């Protein structure tokens, strides 16, 4: 463990810009949910109506949590938001561990660190200590926000600790994954798959007899029932799991070579297929796995939204204040709901577009783009191949999202026409999604080192404007900066070609500007 203190300070310095954004995101989710829930369901009658409406809706229970949490307003807040905050915190921990361990070994930074007086286990221990500090901050912030917004202190303490326990569990799981796999992407994929399984197990347990939820870290947190029962003993499960996983990670670290994983990557074919004979084929090969994951995820989320579309009218009758948070109010509640959910799906698709565009930057900084560009492949062809995958991929994930929502809503209403209708609705956001993706490309060309930060700030800004503009009372001029604010809210509004054409033209201009910047700078800068 020699050198752990210096390594921890070094990691904290590297995270001084990124980590606060993760903490801010988790805090805002709790803040918005707490204030909105107390405004919507402040009286016992409102909560009783909510229990009656939601308790019989399997899809809502699967998305949120056990209905026992709906006994009081604090439990309702936990019911609505703990699952989603847990996902954010789990992803934060996954990236913290992966970035400071496996990714550093891939880049060669870890080798430089190990050449100094640093113990074999110091890096992993420092990364886990960093995750511990981040989760402690999550616990304090969740407690502070919940209690300041008027929820009971005792339940708020448990709410914060339970959220941090989920995060630390996935930090320990990531510590094991980075020992098993030789590259960071494979480790991230394994942890993300585990996170998805944890959510599915929790959902299956909540709609069933509850047994399966006890196999999920998210289920452990929810079964503390903050504000309702304030049970602390379920947190013994994550404590034991964290201890076993950390011990396992340290043991596995002893049994692998530096920069290698326990699972060796499979060797490729001696000769490449014809599909890899172009830069487009290579870009598709690199990104097809991520595209499949995002498409399946948005398909399932769209199906979850669509499955409760037929009950939204009764839900608003029981809880009329909910209509204030939908774009069209109560006048056309079903189409308001469908427009709002389509917007949410499009925001997630824009995040996929940014991830896909930034893959080109990742290939550049890792040094893999340079030998490719030393051949007859031009910079335009190389960047264009990644942009083609990004453009087609964002269209595909929007189609998947619309198909899932249309299919589920069509099955609930016995109307097969909802499938093409909702696919058309989600595709209406494609120009806005391309424009956000274009910002990432423009950054790669002119501000390569800041491209990722700029692109993610734009995604966060668009999400804040789209989802929280009314809650925060944002001025109209600030909302107009988001491309999603210029997209017609179909099916609540009629189609309008002009704004979509303008957004598409701007996206094309941003992509062209990014290429112009790439031509004028050194590669790898």
């Amino acid at each position: 463990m020699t050198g752990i203190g210096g390594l921890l300070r070094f990691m904290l310095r590297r995270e001084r810009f990124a980590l606060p954004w993760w903490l801010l995101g988790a805090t805002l989710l709790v803040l918005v949910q707490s204030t909105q829930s107390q405004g919507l369901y402040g009286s016992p009658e409102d909560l009783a109506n909510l229990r009656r409406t939601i308790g019989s809706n399997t899809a809502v229970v699967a998305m949120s949590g056990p209905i026992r949490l709906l006994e009081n307003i604090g439990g309702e807040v936990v019911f609505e938001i703990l699952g989603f905050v847990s996902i954010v915190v789990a992803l934060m921990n996954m990236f913290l561990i992966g970035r400071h361990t496996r990714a550093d070994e891939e880049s060669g930074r870890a080798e430089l660190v190990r050449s100094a007086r640093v113990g074999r286990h110091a890096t992993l221990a420092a990364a886990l200590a960093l995750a511990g500090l981040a989760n402690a901050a999550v616990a304090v912030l969740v407690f502070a926000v919940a209690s300041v917004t008027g929820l009971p202190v005792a339940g708020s303490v448990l709410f914060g600790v339970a959220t941090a326990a989920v995060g630390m569990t996935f930090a320990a799981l990531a510590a094991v994954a980075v020992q098993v796999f030789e590259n960071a992407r494979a480790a991230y994929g394994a942890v993300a798959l585990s996170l998805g399984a944890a959510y599915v197990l929790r959902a299956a347990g909540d709609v069933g007899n509850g047994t399966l939820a006890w196999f999920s870290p998210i289920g452990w947190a929810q079964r503390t029932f903050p504000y309702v029962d304030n049970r602390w003993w379920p947190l013994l499960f994550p404590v034991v799991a964290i201890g076993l996983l950390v011990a396992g990670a340290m043991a596995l670290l002893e049994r692998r070579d530096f920069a290698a994983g326990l699972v060796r990557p499979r060797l490729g074919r001696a000769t490449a297929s014809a599909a890899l004979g172009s830069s487009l084929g290579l870009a598709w090969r690199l990104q097809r796995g991520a595209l499949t994951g995002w498409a399946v995820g948005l398909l399932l989320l769209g199906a979850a939204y669509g499955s409760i579309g037929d009950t939204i009218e009764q839900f608003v009758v029981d809880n009329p204040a909910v209509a204030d948070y939908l774009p069209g109010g109560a006048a056309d509640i079903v189409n308001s709901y469908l427009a709002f959910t389509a917007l949410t799906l499009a925001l997630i698709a824009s995040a996929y577009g940014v991830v896909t565009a930034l893959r080109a930057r990742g290939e550049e900084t890792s040094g893999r783009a340079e030998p490719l560009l030393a051949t007859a492949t031009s910079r335009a062809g190389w960047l264009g191949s990644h942009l083609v995958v990004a453009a087609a991929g964002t269209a595909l994930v929007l189609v998947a999202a619309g198909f899932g929502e249309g299919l589920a809503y069509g099955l609930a209403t016995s109307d097969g026409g909802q499938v093409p209708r909702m696919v058309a609705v989600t595709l209406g956001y494609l120009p806005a999604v391309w424009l956000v993706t274009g910002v990432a490309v423009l950054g790669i060309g002119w501000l390569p080192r800041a491209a990722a930060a700029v692109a993610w700030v734009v995604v966060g800004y668009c999400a804040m404007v789209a989802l929280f503009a009314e809650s925060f009372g944002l001025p109209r001029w600030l909302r107009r900066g988001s491309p999603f604010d210029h997209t017609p809210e179909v099916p609540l509004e009629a189609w309008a070609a002009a704004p979509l054409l303008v957004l598409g033209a701007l996206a094309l201009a941003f992509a062209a500007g990014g290429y112009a910047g790439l031509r004028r700078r050194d590669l790898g800068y």
Side-chain angles (χ1 to χ4, degrees):
M1 295 293 181
T2 302
I4 185 174
L7 281 173
L8 179 57
R9 289 191 295 273
F10 177 53
M11 292 175 183
L12 283 169
R13 179 175 174 76
R14 288 177 62 193
E15 292 294 336
R16 65 188 185 281
F17 296 119
L19 184 57
W21 287 103
W22 284 102
L23 298 176
L24 179 64
T27 304
L28 284 178
L29 284 174
V30 177
L31 172 65
V32 172
Q33 189 61 56
S34 180
T35 53
Q36 286 188 351
S37 290
Q38 293 184 68
L40 288 170
Y41 315 115
S43 68
E45 294 77 16
D46 292 334
L47 271 176
N49 288 332
L50 185 68
R51 282 195 298 272
R52 185 175 61 253
T53 306
I54 288 181
S56 59
N57 194 313
T58 302
V60 175
V61 172
M63 287 178 62
S64 301
I67 58 175
R68 178 169 174 73
L69 285 167
L70 298 176
E71 292 294 322
N72 55 41
I73 188 61
E76 199 280 335
V77 173
V78 175
F79 173 85
E80 296 273 7
I81 205 64
L82 180 54
F84 299 107
V85 175
S86 295
I87 291 174
V88 172
V89 174
L91 291 175
M92 176 189 77
N93 281 273
M94 179 186 77
F95 287 119
L96 281 177
I97 298 297
R99 189 159 48 238
H100 293 286
T101 54
R102 177 54 65 184
D104 276 0
E105 290 190 33
E106 286 186 84
S107 67
R109 183 183 289 117
E111 190 172 9
L112 292 175
V113 171
R114 290 281 296 275
S115 65
R117 293 187 60 191
V118 173
R120 182 178 179 84
H121 299 91
T123 302
L124 180 59
L128 287 168
L130 174 67
L133 291 176
N135 288 308
V138 167
V140 171
L141 290 170
V142 169
F143 158 72
V145 169
S147 56
V148 165
T149 53
L151 298 180
V153 171
S156 299
V157 172
L158 182 55
F159 185 12
V161 173
T163 306
V166 176
M168 201 60 214
T169 303
F170 279 94
L173 184 61
V176 172
V178 297
Q179 313 307 320
V180 175
F181 299 101
E182 194 168 300
N183 61 73
R185 285 187 175 274
Y188 291 155
V191 178
L193 189 62
S194 301
L195 178 59
Y199 201 88
V200 170
L201 285 171
R202 186 223 40 90
D206 288 338
V207 300
N209 60 9
T211 302
L212 290 176
W214 288 104
F215 293 91
S216 165
I218 302 174
W220 298 337
Q222 288 184 334
R223 270 151 181 75
T224 58
F225 295 119
Y227 306 106
V228 178
D229 293 335
N230 285 338
R231 300 193 305 189
W232 285 84
W233 64 263
L235 295 181
L236 289 174
F237 288 94
V239 169
V240 173
I242 292 167
L244 292 175
L245 288 169
V246 170
M250 292 294 181
L252 293 175
L253 178 60
E254 291 283 352
R255 288 164 174 76
R256 71 173 178 89
D257 293 331
F258 180 78
L262 295 174
V263 176
R264 292 186 178 275
R266 187 179 59 181
L267 294 177
R269 298 176 181 173
T271 57
S273 67
L276 285 174
S278 66
S279 56
L280 179 60
L282 177 59
W284 164 250
R285 177 67 180 81
L286 292 172
Q287 307 219 36
R288 65 183 182 181
L291 173 59
T292 302
W294 281 84
V296 171
L298 280 175
L299 174 73
L300 296 176
L301 182 58
Y305 283 147
S307 63
I308 59 176
D310 64 323
T311 62
I312 193 65
E313 287 182 297
Q314 184 58 46
F315 184 75
V316 172
V317 168
D318 293 337
N319 308 278
V322 173
D324 296 337
Y325 293 90
L326 296 175
D332 190 359
I333 192 63
V334 174
N335 284 332
S336 294
Y337 171 76
L338 294 176
F340 180 76
T341 53
L343 171 61
T344 305
L345 294 168
L347 288 167
I348 299 174
S350 69
Y352 164 73
V354 168
V355 169
T356 307
L358 291 176
R359 181 61 192 267
R361 175 64 181 163
E363 291 296 297
E364 180 188 350
T365 55
S366 66
R368 290 190 290 268
E370 191 169 358
L372 182 65
L373 291 172
T375 67
T377 303
S378 66
R379 292 193 180 195
W382 172 72
L383 182 63
S385 63
H386 285 278
L387 293 187
V388 167
V389 174
T394 47
L396 183 61
V397 297
L398 283 172
V399 168
F403 180 83
E405 182 160 8
L407 180 63
Y409 183 55
L411 289 174
T413 58
S414 302
D415 181 5
Q418 293 298 330
V419 173
R421 179 176 180 240
M422 288 310 301
V423 168
V425 167
T426 52
L427 279 177
Y429 286 97
L430 187 57
V433 171
W434 281 349
L435 182 55
V436 174
T437 307
V439 172
V441 180
L442 191 64
I444 291 172
W446 294 97
L447 299 169
R449 292 184 177 179
V454 171
W456 286 115
V457 166
V458 170
V459 172
Y461 160 73
C462 291
M464 182 184 68
V465 167
L467 304 178
F468 307 125
E470 296 296 336
S471 301
F472 293 161
L474 298 180
R476 186 62 185 162
W477 63 266
L478 187 58
R479 305 181 194 187
R480 298 299 286 174
S482 169
F484 295 94
D485 196 65
H486 299 272
T487 302
E489 294 175 315
V490 181
L492 188 63
E493 299 176 355
W495 272 85
L500 301 184
L501 291 174
V502 171
L503 292 174
L506 285 173
L508 188 61
F510 281 11
Y515 168 66
L518 182 65
R519 283 190 60 192
R520 286 164 172 75
R521 68 172 174 84
D522 293 334
L523 203 65
Y525 170 72

